[in-house]
Amino acid sequence: MKKIQEFRFKNLNYIRFRFIMHGAFVGVVAGFVVSFFRLVIEKLLTVMQTLYPKLLETPLLWPLVIGYLMLVLLVNAHFLAKEPNISGSGIPQVEGQLAGLLEVKWWSVLWRKWIGGVLAIGSGLFLGREGPSIQLGAMVGQGVAKGLHLPKTKERCLLAGGAAAGLAAAFNAPIAASLFVVEEIYHNFSPFVWTTSLAAAVTANFVSLNFFGLRPVLYLPHDQSFPPKSYGLLLILGVILGLLGLLYEFLTLNSSYLYPELSNQVRKKLFAHS
């Protein structure tokens, strides 16, 4: 019996446990990176939200605001010229990396995306932090993998874990972040990716909670509870929103085919009348 126990102990697979530890480390680092990203954006937004209303009362502030926005434009234009992979939300780039279609220099993207994102989002422009947070977390995961000299397959695992950590730190939603990465970014269920992403998301969420507290990011205060007799209306609302979601998806995916057809129909009518 003792020999059997020793045999089993020696043949235990520690690879998954090792990746959980790697994922937790990625989550801690990504949690700090994204939490500082979120914190600086909130401070800048507070300043800009105070400044913008005063433009009507103090016209002399217009050159200051315009000059700052021009500075944001020039800085981001310079960053984009040096590193095109910081463009957009960053999610397509992470998907391309996980699919093996794109090679990215993690440090080059990380610091430029951080500074450029803080300046643009903190200016009050119509931008969100979800995509940039995912890419920042993914770059942290890639950086850790490079530091550990992991092969490409294992590097992608930490890349996915970093993406989950970034999203979890941005919105304090570790389960949703893990599911988002598996379903929308990795497009495949892998036990290694899932456990690594979950470990990274939970630790990143822990770091973020220590920065911002337990209050939800999307906090909706309410004075009274939803009446139980109206719960049936929620089912109807869910069906309607589901159908509208399907319609939106269909139009989004098929708009490239619909536009040429519509333009052909318009041309035919114009030629017929002429």
Side-chain angles (χ1 to χ4, degrees):
M1 186 68 178
K2 185 177 180 180
K3 291 183 178 180
I4 295 177
Q5 289 178 348
E6 289 179 355
F7 175 79
R8 289 180 178 176
F9 182 78
K10 290 179 180 179
N11 287 274
L12 284 176
N13 191 340
Y14 292 100
I15 296 178
R16 188 172 300 177
F17 178 76
R18 192 181 303 125
F19 269 89
I20 290 174
M21 293 296 101
H22 290 167
F25 178 72
V26 168
V28 171
V29 180
F32 276 103
V33 170
V34 176
S35 293
F36 278 116
F37 180 72
R38 178 178 159 189
L39 183 64
V40 177
I41 286 173
E42 289 184 2
K43 298 298 182 183
L44 274 177
L45 280 176
T46 302
V47 174
M48 300 307 293
Q49 288 168 355
T50 305
L51 191 60
Y52 282 138
K54 292 183 178 179
L55 292 176
L56 298 175
E57 304 171 359
T58 313
L60 293 177
L61 290 175
W62 278 95
L64 177 64
V65 173
I66 293 175
Y68 172 72
L69 293 177
M70 289 299 297
L71 176 64
V72 172
L73 172 64
L74 292 174
V75 169
N76 277 285
H78 175 71
F79 285 171
L80 280 168
K82 295 291 184 180
E83 182 55 76
N85 289 310
I86 66 170
S87 63
S89 68
I91 296 177
Q93 288 89 331
V94 176
E95 289 182 351
Q97 286 182 267
L98 290 173
L101 303 174
L102 185 65
E103 288 291 334
V104 170
K105 297 178 180 178
W106 71 273
W107 176 245
S108 176
V109 171
L110 181 63
W111 72 269
R112 288 186 174 91
K113 189 77 170 186
W114 199 97
I115 297 175
V118 163
L119 292 176
I121 303 172
S123 301
L125 301 179
F126 195 65
L127 301 166
R129 62 174 183 265
E130 175 189 346
S133 297
I134 289 174
Q135 190 175 25
L136 289 173
M139 293 303 96
V140 170
Q142 183 180 355
V144 171
K146 295 291 187 185
L148 295 174
H149 305 289
L150 298 178
K152 283 293 182 182
T153 53
K154 296 180 179 179
E155 178 181 313
R156 290 172 191 163
C157 194
L158 291 188
L159 197 75
L167 185 56
F171 293 101
N172 298 124
I175 303 300
S178 303
L179 292 173
F180 178 83
V181 167
V182 172
E183 181 181 356
E184 295 295 330
I185 295 182
Y186 197 72
H187 300 295
N188 188 20
F189 183 81
S190 166
F192 284 103
V193 173
W194 167 248
T195 52
T196 304
S197 298
L198 184 60
V202 169
T203 52
N205 181 64
F206 176 77
V207 173
S208 180
L209 289 176
N210 280 276
F211 272 83
F212 303 101
L214 297 175
R215 183 173 178 172
V217 176
L218 302 175
Y219 178 65
L220 300 175
H222 60 280
D223 298 327
Q224 56 184 5
S225 301
F226 193 78
K229 64 180 181 180
S230 301
Y231 278 13
L233 297 176
L234 295 177
L235 299 177
I236 299 173
L237 178 63
V239 172
I240 294 173
L241 293 177
L243 293 174
L244 290 175
L246 286 174
L247 178 62
Y248 175 79
E249 181 182 4
F250 174 79
L251 293 176
T252 302
L253 296 177
N254 294 280
S255 58
S256 59
Y257 304 105
L258 292 175
Y259 278 122
E261 185 64 27
L262 288 174
S263 61
N264 290 334
Q265 294 294 333
V266 171
R267 279 197 294 267
K268 288 181 181 178
K269 290 183 179 181
L270 289 175
F271 285 124
H273 287 296
S274 61

